Amino acid sequence: MFAVQHLIETLVHDALEASVASGELALAELPEVTVERPRDVTHGDWATNVAMRAAKPAGMPPRAVAEVIAARMSGHADIASVEIAGPGFINIRLSDAALQRVVREARAQGTSFGSSKLGAGRTVQVEFVSANPVGPMHVGHGRWAALGDSLARILAHAGYSVEREFYVNDQGVQMDVFAESVAARYLELAGREVTFPEEGYRGAYITDIAREIMAEEGERWADTSAEEREAYFKEKAYAQVLAHLKHVLSGMGVEFDVWFSERTLHAPGDDGGPSAIERAIARLREAGYIYEHEGATWFRSTDFGDDKDRVLLKADGSYTYFAADVAYHWNKLEERGFDVVIDIWGADHHGYVKRMEAAVAALGHPGKLKLIIGQLVNLFRNGEVVRMSKRTGEMVTFEDLLDEVGPDAARYFFLRRSTDQALDFDIALAKEQSSDNPVYYVQYAHARICSILRKAADAPEAEDVSALAAALVPADADLSLLTTEAELGLFRKLAEFSEVVEAAAEQYTPHKLTRYAEELAASFHQFYTVCRVVNPDAPALTVARLAVVDASRIALESVLGLLGVHAPQRM
RNA sequence: GCGCCCUUAGCUCAGUGGAUAGAGCGUCCGGCUACGAACCGGGAGGUCGCAGGUUCGAAUCCUGCAGGGCGCACCA
């Protein structure tokens, strides 16, 4: 995919360079060339402020600089006009030929439309959700699931080699409490006197798990030692919860490549040698960032801007959660060698950002860890806050939400807001099948297109509209017949796709794609309202319009695919 | 007390240092004898939280203040 933005940047840059070479502009160094989309369409497709940036060093008025550069840009086949405007903007308008090429490319490339080589094959790991396997996921996890998965899809589309990973905290205090909780419920079911653990998990699912064990194995665990019982229940219950997490995530179309067990970080190495945690600490020690104090082993994270140093090995001989996390990131960056590692965390964990970045820097990989901090989700129903209590375990879970609104609406709503904005999720609105609900607006455009293609092919029952389009419209259809504002507007919107994907990939902002999806759908609906597509009296025009319709179908399917939302052919 | 995020139209939110700050919903007025009206067109609606600063230019960058959210463990 040729991204128009890069073409324009190159053209401006070359014109600038040539102007300096010829002596028309006296510049010691070239200013950075940036092009942007003007807000106002009358200002053309692209604009650059480079003349204003170069004016002072060149000792010329901005508009005079712009004149020099603009004179060297006109004449290119992809450019219809170059104009100087305002204080010194250079406004560039694409030629119809350039726009028509985008339509042909979309049809030729199919699902790879909008892809780019931005990532150049670099490897990226996206770790997200990583919910503790001791209970159901809350709706926040749903947001991270949608975000991480969509980001992974976008990065892959932008040319990165992507892996999705779920870090399983299958060791530690929470697992112990979890096992004790299940054991206590089990004993209750067996009719024994038992005091429920003070900090135990009180959700009804704990009892469900206990009941299941009871059904399978009877009361044989009621009279064993607590250690034996809890050790067994821990594995049993944890396996069940993990399977449940996978099931729920899968229900929203989120599949992980790797489920990484925290236990492997504590376990001895493959050769029976030191564990990953021990190796990581040794590495930090070599680098001089470790010291002992009051019986504990500390990491001097303050060397990297953290507020205070952090304990890795506690005085009681056990490792902190952070120690495992250090080892985990050492594993990601050093042992598995990812070029970029992305962690998606909830805002409630932002306090760990500095120490994690410090650890990664101390391990010799500064800057490779990208931490995305997502703000939390507030649930509403018809404008009323849905209250939840963690203490009693009463809550609307991610699974409940998914069951109620469905995967498409859930994902779309999770992705529609920028990550650093708290999300108000209104369950009633997400369920509503009306124009209030943007996911239907976009899907409707796609279904409408499919209907047109079926109509054009006179095949109302056809399932494969892609084949219909291929048969109806040759690759070299004469697109120069399409000259109305609505048609050209749609061309322009299609031409934006690639650059939106790149921006979303570079800035980790899937919400840009929901916005683009709505804009693309709007451009299509406008086109549809004004331009009759299937017209027996004008076969050439019909074919040309069907080409744009098909390109729009491909783009909508592609953008919805990046969001993980289904593109229905009928609805 | 310290740190991070947020504050833009009645509501929910976009907005890469640029030109007259946008979208959806809501509201008002219009548009189906042709391909899907779950659609389209138009109007009204803004001290971009407040105050300074940086510069050719600030919703955007810096500082301070106010309001809201989330964190500040040898917990995970």
Side-chain angles (χ1 to χ4, degrees):
Chain A
M1 174 72 197
F2 98 114
V4 185
Q5 182 180 357
H6 302 318
L7 173 78
I8 303 294
E9 279 166 357
T10 305
L11 283 172
V12 174
H13 181 268
D14 291 351
L16 187 61
E17 207 168 45
S19 304
V20 172
S22 71
E24 289 169 279
L25 290 180
L27 288 173
E29 55 184 306
L30 299 181
E32 190 193 353
V33 172
T34 56
V35 298
E36 60 183 21
R37 292 269 181 185
R39 285 213 178 89
D40 188 336
V41 290
T42 65
H43 293 144
D45 295 309
W46 293 94
T48 178
N49 62 357
V50 75
M52 286 180 281
R53 297 171 68 122
K56 196 178 251 182
M60 292 166 64
R63 291 189 65 108
V65 177
E67 293 286 353
V68 172
I69 297 168
R72 291 187 176 270
M73 289 188 61
S74 45
H76 191 283
D78 288 333
I79 295 195
S81 70
V82 181
E83 292 166 2
I84 319 291
F89 289 103
I90 300 174
N91 290 338
I92 299 149
R93 191 174 302 276
L94 292 176
S95 68
D96 289 356
L99 294 172
Q100 289 161 14
R101 190 171 59 227
V102 173
V103 174
R104 282 195 292 272
E105 281 183 357
R107 301 196 64 231
Q109 295 176 354
T111 50
S112 66
F113 179 57
S115 64
S116 85
K117 295 188 169 66
L118 182 72
R122 277 171 292 173
T123 57
V124 185
Q125 184 215 45
V126 187
E127 182 221 319
F128 56 108
V129 184
S130 300
N132 286 316
V134 297
M137 289 177 283
H138 54 69
V139 292
H141 290 120
R143 187 177 192 186
W144 319 143
L147 180 67
D149 184 61
S150 182
L151 184 57
R153 291 168 189 244
I154 290 164
L155 289 167
H157 211 58
Y160 289 89
S161 177
V162 183
E163 268 191 32
R164 295 165 176 80
E165 183 153 316
F166 186 117
Y167 180 56
V168 187
N169 297 120
D170 52 6
Q171 173 152 351
V173 178
Q174 296 194 69
M175 286 292 285
D176 296 340
V177 173
F178 175 52
E180 288 166 26
S181 304
V182 175
R185 292 304 185 207
Y186 175 87
L187 292 173
E188 281 175 13
L189 290 170
R192 307 300 166 92
E193 280 293 318
V194 63
T195 48
F196 196 78
E198 186 68 24
E199 298 297 318
Y201 297 102
R202 295 173 185 277
Y205 68 96
I206 296 286
T207 310
D208 293 342
I209 293 171
R211 192 172 288 123
E212 205 155 318
I213 294 175
M214 180 71 79
E216 277 176 29
E217 316 203 16
E219 297 190 6
R220 56 184 283 239
W221 293 99
D223 295 310
T224 62
S225 73
E227 289 71 32
E228 245 183 299
R229 178 168 52 241
E230 282 164 21
Y232 179 79
F233 279 27
K234 184 191 283 185
E235 300 313 306
K236 191 85 181 171
Y238 149 71
Q240 252 189 53
V241 173
L242 200 59
H244 174 74
L245 298 183
K246 287 186 189 186
H247 171 74
V248 173
L249 288 163
S250 183
M252 201 172 72
V254 178
E255 307 287 347
F256 288 88
D257 300 300
V258 177
W259 294 75
F260 191 96
S261 160
E262 180 186 350
R263 288 178 190 176
T264 62
L265 299 170
H266 294 265
D270 295 337
D271 53 359
S275 69
I277 293 177
E278 288 160 347
R279 294 198 301 276
I281 292 178
R283 176 60 160 266
L284 290 176
R285 197 184 298 278
E286 283 167 33
Y289 299 116
I290 295 292
Y291 65 93
E292 317 292 333
H293 178 63
E294 292 182 351
T297 301
W298 295 71
F299 165 48
R300 193 178 289 109
S301 56
T302 48
D303 281 5
F304 300 90
D306 196 6
D307 303 326
K308 53 170 296 205
D309 292 339
R310 305 294 171 177
V311 169
L312 294 172
L313 181 57
K314 294 184 263 184
D316 69 2
S318 64
Y319 290 107
T320 59
Y321 179 86
F322 178 56
D325 243 351
V326 172
Y328 181 38
H329 285 80
W330 184 63
N331 169 281
K332 292 183 183 190
L333 290 163
E334 187 99 4
E335 300 188 332
R336 285 190 277 171
F338 288 108
D339 294 319
V340 179
V341 164
I342 298 172
D343 290 4
I344 298 176
W345 294 353
D348 52 342
H349 286 82
H350 76 258
Y352 298 90
V353 169
K354 279 209 175 128
R355 77 190 67 169
M356 201 66 246
E357 287 176 342
V360 167
L363 289 168
H365 298 282
K368 284 193 186 173
L369 172 65
K370 311 291 182 187
L371 281 162
I372 298 176
I373 303 303
Q375 296 300 310
L376 303 174
V377 178
N378 303 308
L379 266 192
F380 288 79
R381 193 186 291 277
N382 295 316
E384 297 281 309
V385 179
V386 178
R387 300 253 171 232
M388 286 187 267
S389 163
K390 201 165 190 178
R391 192 171 304 270
T392 61
E394 282 173 33
M395 58 185 281
V396 176
T397 65
F398 173 32
E399 183 183 26
D400 297 335
L401 182 72
L402 214 44
D403 286 347
E404 191 164 353
V405 310
D408 282 348
R411 287 191 77 131
Y412 199 91
F413 271 65
F414 281 136
L415 293 172
R416 199 156 179 255
R417 297 291 175 244
S418 76
T419 312
D420 47 18
Q421 188 88 240
L423 174 65
D424 290 341
F425 193 118
D426 194 310
I427 297 173
L429 177 60
K431 279 171 72 175
E432 204 168 309
Q433 304 207 358
S434 76
S435 56
D436 291 1
N437 192 337
V439 65
Y440 290 105
Y441 179 78
V442 178
Q443 290 182 319
Y444 179 68
H446 184 266
R448 206 177 202 189
I449 285 171
C450 294
S451 175
I452 297 168
L453 291 170
R454 289 191 298 265
K455 169 82 175 180
D458 195 19
E461 303 303 322
E463 291 303 321
D464 185 357
V465 291
S466 176
L468 294 183
L472 285 166
V473 191
D476 61 352
D478 182 8
L479 301 176
S480 68
L481 298 171
L482 308 181
T483 57
T484 66
E485 276 307 308
E487 286 159 331
L488 295 175
L490 185 49
F491 284 8
R492 290 192 158 88
K493 194 52 71 178
L494 289 167
E496 274 180 45
F497 185 36
S498 179
E499 80 204 48
V500 175
V501 172
E502 287 195 354
E506 283 181 305
Q507 300 161 31
Y508 310 137
T509 49
H511 78 274
K512 286 184 189 296
L513 284 173
T514 60
R515 192 164 195 84
Y516 175 75
E518 288 165 45
E519 290 171 2
L520 177 60
S523 288
F524 177 77
H525 286 311
Q526 287 157 17
F527 157 81
Y528 176 89
T529 303
V530 177
C531 299
R532 168 85 195 172
V533 178
V534 180
N535 181 356
D537 298 331
L541 184 61
T542 296
V543 167
R545 285 182 172 164
L546 282 172
V548 190
V549 168
D550 191 39
S552 303
R553 176 186 64 81
I554 288 163
L556 282 167
E557 186 181 14
S558 182
V559 68
L560 284 172
L562 294 177
L563 297 171
V565 173
H566 180 240
Q569 301 201 356
R570 294 183 172 86
M571 53 192 287

